[in-house]
Amino acid sequence: AAIVLKANSIHIKDENNQSFIKGIENTGAVELYYGNSKTFETTNTGTTVTGNLNCTALLPTGNLELVDSNAGNVGRIRMGAGDDFSIYHDGTASHIQNNTGELKIASDNFQFLTGDGSEKFIDCNGNGNVELYYDNTKRFETGSSGVSITGNCNVDGNITLSDNEEIQFGNSTDFRIYHDSNNSY
């Protein structure tokens, strides 16, 4: 059996005249209340939650939008048993905050780009190299035989090589500097 209520609008209140549920005329919207304050509503584009949204399962597809309606308060996406991971924007900067001690990002390829996506900062290629960029020009790259530097390499400190390791110059490594355990060459 079913209970069917038909009206232009439906408004369910408690004995103290505080709202529980409203069905809004002509729009089909539904509003839910807690302590006479609207906490959930349906709209023509989805739903709006005012306050915290506590999920015990994965969110459905679509967008999750957090809007700060109170000055000084930041809307956050919080995850973990102790809210130890959060993503938020404070009006000036965007933040990913991790308090678990280790943040892992898994991807076959991973890039850090400028805000408009037009320039690379870092490019990490799975099972391959890592590249560092300055002004969208590759300056440092890891590879199977070591690292490659494009441009000047300024060192403030020592360059240390073990015995018999060489610094090599020229296309044919025709100029070398090295030290064995007794002599310098």
Side-chain angles (χ1 to χ4, degrees):
I3 297 175
V4 178
L5 302 174
K6 290 186 177 184
N8 288 337
S9 65
I10 296 173
H11 195 162
I12 300 173
K13 296 182 177 186
D14 69 6
E15 61 188 28
N16 295 320
N17 206 31
Q18 291 188 358
S19 295
F20 286 140
I21 301 172
K22 283 185 185 178
I24 310 300
E25 179 179 6
N26 296 327
T27 65
V30 175
E31 298 175 351
L32 302 179
Y33 290 77
Y34 181 86
N36 215 32
S37 295
K38 183 170 47 172
T39 59
F40 182 89
E41 65 183 308
T42 61
T43 67
N44 65 334
T45 59
T47 59
T48 301
V49 175
T50 303
N52 293 329
L53 174 62
N54 298 313
C55 299
T56 57
L58 295 176
L59 292 173
T61 59
N63 296 322
L64 175 61
E65 181 177 340
L66 300 176
V67 179
D68 177 19
S69 59
N70 301 314
N73 294 326
V74 178
R76 294 177 187 248
I77 298 172
R78 295 178 192 240
M79 292 170 260
D83 291 337
D84 48 10
F85 181 78
S86 63
I87 300 172
Y88 64 97
H89 183 75
D90 65 11
T92 304
S94 299
H95 302 265
I96 298 174
Q97 184 174 345
N98 175 47
N99 296 324
T100 63
E102 192 172 334
L103 175 63
K104 295 180 181 181
I105 300 173
S107 176
D108 290 337
N109 296 305
F110 186 75
Q111 296 179 341
F112 286 98
L113 306 173
T114 56
D116 65 1
S118 65
E119 293 187 15
K120 291 181 187 178
F121 297 131
I122 301 172
D123 191 358
C124 306
N125 301 296
N127 296 322
N129 64 333
V130 174
E131 302 169 352
L132 304 179
Y133 290 77
Y134 177 81
D135 197 20
N136 212 33
T137 300
K138 184 176 20 174
R139 295 297 184 189
F140 185 91
E141 178 180 8
T142 64
S144 61
S145 62
V147 299
S148 298
I149 298 172
T150 303
N152 296 327
C153 179
N154 300 314
V155 177
D156 184 10
N158 297 321
I159 297 175
T160 304
L161 301 174
S162 298
D163 286 344
N164 298 314
E165 292 183 1
E166 301 178 352
I167 298 176
Q168 300 176 348
F169 300 90
N171 291 338
S172 302
T173 63
D174 45 357
F175 180 67
R176 303 176 303 162
I177 299 173
Y178 67 97
H179 179 81
D180 63 20
S181 57
N182 297 314
N183 300 301
S184 299
Y185 301 91

